[in-house]
């Protein structure tokens, strides 16, 4: 290495790759992230997709981004602000300027910085950096388009095919800057384009050209060292929340010795759950891509009646459409898992942006008194655990369970230690055994769960449905029976509390401020609380994964703190729920609805203000 090369050693780094939707930034970011995880860095990623399909090239609305933070210690967020921005056009700089760390590095394709592209991005001058007050940033202009064309001039490719390889040049350059292993990336390209050797060769050559450019321009390109993290021994893979959810359901089906059925309708950002399970026919999975959301859940209810581990998946607007059939599952008392990968609303809202928008809909969004169990995952990898737990609760207590994830978790990724199936909890479905004593709505005294009789079991003929019924499954309009059955269904959900762990507190067990969150805000809240504690503030975190029912010790935990602040990506849905369930406390709120996760910086500012008051 040249003596002139500037080497910077960091504990953690956030990089944002950004460009048009067709520039391959998601693939670039994913490959860089996987390579970082492979050498032992802890990572957290945040893909940021445009809401418009085929937005005009060069416009801010068409910018697609991917941020990854990796480090030598535990990484819980993709980073508030990027140390390095790789921008393929002026619009990418404009869209991401607010998310840059002061004094950071901007690598940009100088070939795309033309007057025409300045106009598309709605710059009023020909100097976007000055216009965005980015003069103090370290800027590295690289003629990425020109160098890609030069690299592939003898390949006989058309201009469109050549430009598709630009992202590989950027990936090669950034991989040199951060000393990422090229062998993994090269193997991926060879496998991805195995049936098109010429395309694979072109991408590999551009990738190496980017690496070599970094080598040759050491005097102007800094190099960073981020040492591997110290992590628990085991077999790991990088996984996103949607894939983890699918695999958690697969594991539950195996432990329950049942076939897995998914009836679903494609919807952003939940579609990958359907795709991941559809690919596992080798494990006996049955998937049905229905014509709409209603058909999706209805087929799943039919599969539950027939004895499968039944699942349906969706996002906000789809949950609204599934509400009537979910009520049928409540009334029939069939085990069902409904996965809702939340996004910004209302209506179509922000299809590609994250939001904790559907909590009240999951809790109350049905006609009549129809309680369901509600869980929420916290990180991309623990979507596996909570999908498994959702199935276990549904099968053992004969209730529908709603599992809430969100776009941030579903698309984001992190290293995941692959568990051994032998170490997973046992799942014991409540299959009926004694035909002589069987009653369709006869119940276990402790749990109130009814028995599950599968069609075809000799002597277990029965009738269930959407009308109110008595213990034998006969339709009943008796007022006293209706009151009794409503009470039983509600109490059955409340008794699920004996299956869930007590609420844990991160930090001191009592103090001045308790930060309360749920679901996908965990990483940012934990990081902010850790930062506040490093400044000797008595701040702790209570993060909820089990929402209905709440953990049994919720009231006791809350009582040990002087102030409580509920932080969520909505207008205060969980805070409202807590005021109903735990009315003895005052709840401060910190809410955000920008289609983006919290930042640690804004959380710390809020906590400091609350402590000063």
């Amino acid at each position: 290495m040249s003596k002139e090369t500037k080497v910077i050693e960091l504990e953690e780094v956030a990089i944002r790759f950004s460009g048009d939707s067709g520039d391959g930034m998601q693939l670039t970011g994913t490959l860089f992230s996987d390579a970082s995880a492979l050498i032992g860095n802890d990572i957290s990623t945040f893909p940021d997709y445009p809401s418009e399909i085929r937005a005009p090239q060069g416009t801010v609305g068409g910018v697609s981004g991917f941020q990854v933070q990796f480090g030598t210690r535990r990484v819980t967020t993709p980073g508030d602000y990027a140390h390095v921005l790789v921008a393929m056009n002026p619009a990418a700089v404009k869209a991401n300027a607010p998310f840059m760390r002061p004094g950071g590095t901007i690598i940009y394709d100088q070939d795309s910085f033309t007057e025409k592209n300045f106009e598309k991005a709605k710059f009023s001058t020909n100097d976007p950096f000055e216009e965005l007050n980015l003069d103090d940033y370290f800027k590295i202009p690289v003629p990425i388009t020109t160098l890609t064309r030069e690299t592939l001039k003898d390949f006989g490719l058309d201009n469109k095919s050549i430009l598709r390889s630009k992202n590989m040049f950027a990936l090669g350059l950034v991989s040199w800057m951060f000393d990422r292993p090229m062998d993994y990336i090269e193997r991926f390209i060879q496998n991805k384009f195995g049936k098109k050797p010429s395309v694979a060769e072109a991408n590999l050559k551009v990738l190496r050209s980017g690496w070599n450019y970094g080598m040759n321009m050491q005097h102007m390109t800094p190099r960073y060292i981020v040492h591997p993290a110290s992590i628990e021994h085991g077999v790991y893979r990088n996984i996103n929340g949607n894939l983890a959810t699918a695999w958690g359901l697969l594991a539950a089906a195996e432990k329950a010795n049942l076939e897995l059925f998914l009836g679903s309708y494609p919807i952003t950002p939940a579609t990958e759950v359907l795709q991941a399970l559809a690919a596992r026919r080798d494990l006996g999975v049955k998937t049905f891509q229905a014509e709409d959301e209603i058909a999706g859940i209805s087929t799943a209810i039919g599969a539950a009646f027939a004895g499968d581990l039944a699942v349906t998946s969706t996002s906000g607007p789809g949950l609204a459409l599934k509400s009537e059939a979910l009520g049928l599952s409540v009334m029939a008392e069939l085990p069902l898992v409904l996965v809702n990968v939340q996004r910004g609303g209302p209506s179509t809202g922000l299809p590609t942006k994250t939001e904790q928008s559907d909590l009240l809909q999951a809790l109350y969004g049905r006609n009549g008194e129809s309680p369901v169990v509600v869980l929420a995952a916290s990180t991309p990898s623990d979507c596996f655990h909570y999908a498994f737990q959702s199935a276990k609760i549904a099968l053992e207590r004969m209730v529908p369970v709603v599992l809430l994830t969100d776009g941030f978790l579903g698309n984001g990724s992190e290293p995941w230690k692959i568990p051994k199936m032998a170490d997973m909890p046992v799942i014991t479905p409540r299959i009926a055994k004694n035909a002589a004593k069987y009653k369709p709505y006869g119940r276990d005294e402790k749990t109130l769960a009814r028995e599950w009789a599968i069609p075809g079991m000799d002597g277990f003929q029965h009738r269930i449905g959407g009308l109110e019924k008595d213990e034998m499954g006969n339709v009943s309009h008796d007022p006293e029976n209706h009151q009794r059955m409503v009470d039983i269904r509600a109490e059955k959900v409340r008794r699920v509390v004996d299956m869930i762990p007590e609420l844990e507190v991160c930090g001191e067990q009592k103090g001045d401020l308790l930060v309360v969150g749920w679901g996908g805000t965990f990483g940012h809240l934990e990081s902010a609380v850790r930062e506040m504690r490093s400044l000797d503030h008595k701040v702790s975190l209570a993060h909820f994964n089990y929402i209905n029912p709440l953990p049994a010790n919720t009231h006791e935990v809350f009582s040990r703190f002087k102030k409580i602040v509920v932080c969520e990506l909505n207008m205060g849905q969980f805070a409202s729920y807590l005021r109903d369930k735990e009315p003895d406390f005052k709840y401060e709120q910190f809410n955000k609805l920008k289609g983006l996760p919290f930042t640690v910086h804004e959380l710390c500012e809020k906590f400091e203000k609350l402590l000063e008051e």
Side-chain angles (χ1 to χ4, degrees):
M1 184 183 296
S2 168
K3 293 182 180 179
E4 299 180 47
T5 302
K6 184 179 180 181
V7 178
I8 303 170
E9 190 167 334
L10 296 170
E11 288 193 349
E12 56 188 20
V13 177
I15 303 178
R16 181 173 280 245
F17 299 90
S18 189
D20 270 323
S21 294
D23 284 336
M25 292 295 97
Q26 302 299 328
L27 176 61
T28 304
T30 298
L31 288 174
F32 186 90
S33 302
D34 289 349
S36 298
L38 190 67
I39 65 172
N41 292 132
D42 199 12
I43 70 167
S44 178
T45 72
F46 175 47
D48 188 16
Y49 301 96
S51 292
E52 292 184 60
I53 299 175
R54 298 184 183 276
Q57 278 193 326
T59 63
V60 173
V63 170
S64 178
F66 187 105
Q67 183 157 313
V68 55
Q69 181 163 232
F70 57 100
T72 63
R73 57 187 180 184
R74 182 165 176 258
V75 173
T76 57
T77 77
D80 286 0
Y81 304 104
H83 295 83
V84 177
L85 170 65
V86 179
M88 303 302 279
N89 59 25
V93 175
K94 188 170 190 176
N96 293 291
F99 308 109
M100 282 295 297
R101 183 180 294 268
T105 299
I106 302 174
I107 303 168
Y108 64 98
D109 181 6
Q110 67 184 83
D111 293 328
S112 70
F113 276 59
T114 63
E115 188 170 343
K116 181 180 180 181
N117 284 337
F118 294 150
E119 291 177 2
K120 288 182 179 178
K122 299 192 182 303
F123 282 106
S124 57
T125 69
N126 287 342
D127 190 342
F129 299 109
E130 182 179 358
E131 195 169 327
L132 295 170
N133 296 317
L134 298 176
D135 292 335
D136 294 334
Y137 290 70
F138 184 50
K139 295 176 283 293
I140 304 176
V142 182
I144 294 176
T145 300
T146 297
L147 292 172
T148 301
R149 285 194 176 113
E150 179 66 22
T151 301
L152 300 179
K153 64 181 180 181
D154 297 326
F155 273 68
L157 298 174
D158 60 82
N159 187 57
K160 188 175 181 180
S161 298
I162 289 173
L163 294 182
R164 283 178 181 159
S165 301
K166 288 193 306 180
N167 61 325
M168 290 296 110
F169 190 97
L171 179 58
L173 173 58
V174 178
S175 295
W176 177 85
M177 290 175 63
F178 290 92
D179 198 22
R180 303 296 95 176
M182 292 284 281
D183 52 349
Y184 166 78
I185 299 172
E186 290 173 345
R187 285 197 306 272
F188 178 90
I189 292 171
Q190 289 165 346
N191 292 333
K192 180 178 176 63
F193 301 109
K195 296 180 180 179
K196 299 179 179 179
S198 61
V199 175
E201 186 181 353
N203 278 279
L204 287 170
K205 187 164 186 181
V206 175
L207 176 73
R208 291 163 186 153
S209 293
W211 177 280
N212 292 333
Y213 183 84
M215 288 281 290
N216 295 331
M217 300 296 288
Q218 295 180 32
H219 64 282
M220 64 172 288
T221 306
R223 202 166 199 198
Y224 299 86
I225 296 177
V226 182
H227 295 292
S230 177
I231 58 176
E232 183 182 354
H233 181 73
V235 179
Y236 288 78
R237 65 155 291 155
N238 196 31
I239 196 168
N240 67 31
N242 282 336
L243 186 57
T245 298
W247 285 10
L249 295 167
L250 285 169
E254 182 174 329
K255 294 298 281 193
N257 196 28
L258 297 175
E259 291 187 336
L260 175 60
F261 176 90
L262 176 75
S264 191
Y265 179 76
I267 183 171
T268 302
T271 303
E272 191 179 6
V273 177
L274 169 61
Q275 293 171 328
L277 289 176
R280 299 321 307 251
R281 293 182 182 178
D282 59 318
L283 298 178
V285 178
K286 295 170 287 187
T287 57
F288 175 63
Q289 181 176 321
E291 65 271 27
D292 57 34
E293 297 282 3
I294 300 171
I297 188 173
S298 296
T299 57
I301 291 172
F305 180 70
D308 283 358
L309 169 52
V311 184
T312 188
S313 57
T314 192
S315 190
L319 179 58
L321 289 168
K322 293 180 188 292
S323 62
E324 181 183 0
L326 185 57
L328 171 60
S329 182
V330 172
M331 178 64 89
E333 297 187 49
L334 285 167
L336 177 75
V337 177
L338 192 162
V339 177
N340 180 35
V341 188
Q342 299 167 96
R343 70 190 208 187
S347 186
T348 311
L350 302 173
T352 63
K353 307 300 181 182
T354 196
E355 193 172 295
Q356 294 181 300
S357 50
D358 303 334
L359 178 60
L360 293 182
Q361 185 178 197
L363 288 166
Y364 304 121
R366 294 163 295 284
N367 67 296
E369 297 294 332
S370 51
V372 299
V373 176
V374 179
L375 277 62
S378 292
T379 70
S381 63
D382 81 3
C383 287
F384 175 91
H385 172 74
Y386 289 105
F388 185 95
Q389 286 298 107
S390 295
K392 180 177 172 65
I393 292 170
L395 293 169
E396 293 186 350
R397 298 302 175 91
M398 294 295 287
V399 292
V401 178
V402 176
L403 172 61
L404 298 173
T405 71
D406 55 51
F408 175 69
L409 297 181
N411 295 321
S413 65
E414 63 181 357
W416 172 59
K417 184 181 178 183
I418 301 174
K420 296 178 180 178
M421 284 301 297
D423 296 333
M424 300 294 291
V426 172
I427 297 179
T428 308
R430 286 193 52 80
I431 305 295
K433 295 181 174 63
N434 190 331
K437 295 184 178 180
Y438 175 70
K439 297 178 181 179
Y441 290 93
R443 301 179 185 279
D444 174 76
E445 290 185 5
K446 181 182 178 181
T447 66
L448 298 181
R450 76 177 188 89
E451 290 185 316
W452 195 12
I454 311 303
M457 290 172 55
D458 189 35
F460 288 92
Q461 291 86 348
H462 66 287
R463 179 172 58 183
I464 62 174
L467 291 170
E468 189 62 277
K469 77 288 292 177
D470 61 19
E471 192 176 51
M472 297 303 298
N474 299 313
V475 174
S476 172
H477 300 289
D478 176 57
E480 296 302 322
N481 177 70
H482 179 55
Q483 179 74 60
R484 182 171 60 255
M485 295 296 280
V486 167
D487 291 341
I488 287 173
R489 287 189 290 266
E491 180 62 23
K492 182 174 66 166
V493 169
R494 282 193 287 269
R495 292 190 186 185
V496 171
V497 73
D498 64 17
M499 292 186 71
I500 69 179
E502 289 196 336
L503 180 64
E504 294 183 357
V505 175
C506 301
E508 298 298 326
Q509 298 303 299
K510 61 181 180 179
D512 295 328
L513 179 65
L514 180 66
V515 177
V516 171
W518 66 277
T521 57
F522 172 74
H524 295 86
L525 295 181
E526 186 199 37
S527 295
V529 167
R530 189 169 62 230
E531 186 167 322
M532 294 295 291
R533 285 171 52 76
S534 72
L535 300 174
D536 295 327
H537 292 299
K538 294 180 180 179
V539 179
S540 300
L541 171 65
H543 203 81
F544 286 80
N545 298 109
Y546 296 92
I547 294 176
N548 192 34
L550 292 169
N553 65 328
T554 299
H555 188 279
E556 192 270 331
V557 168
F558 284 5
S559 68
R560 301 198 301 260
F561 291 85
K562 296 176 183 177
K563 283 188 176 182
I564 300 172
V565 57
V566 183
C567 305
E568 46 188 329
L569 301 178
N570 55 45
M571 292 293 286
Q573 296 183 27
F574 191 49
S576 297
Y577 178 65
L578 288 174
R579 290 186 184 104
D580 176 44
K581 297 299 181 181
E582 295 290 346
D584 295 341
F585 305 97
K586 179 182 178 182
Y587 301 98
E588 304 288 346
Q589 292 181 208
F590 187 39
N591 305 107
K592 179 177 179 178
L593 288 106
K594 297 184 178 181
L596 298 169
F598 284 118
T599 66
V600 174
H601 176 74
E602 67 190 358
L603 288 167
C604 288
E605 281 190 337
K606 177 66 175 181
F607 301 159
E608 287 175 354
K609 184 177 179 181
L610 286 170
L611 291 170
E612 290 171 359
E613 291 175 353

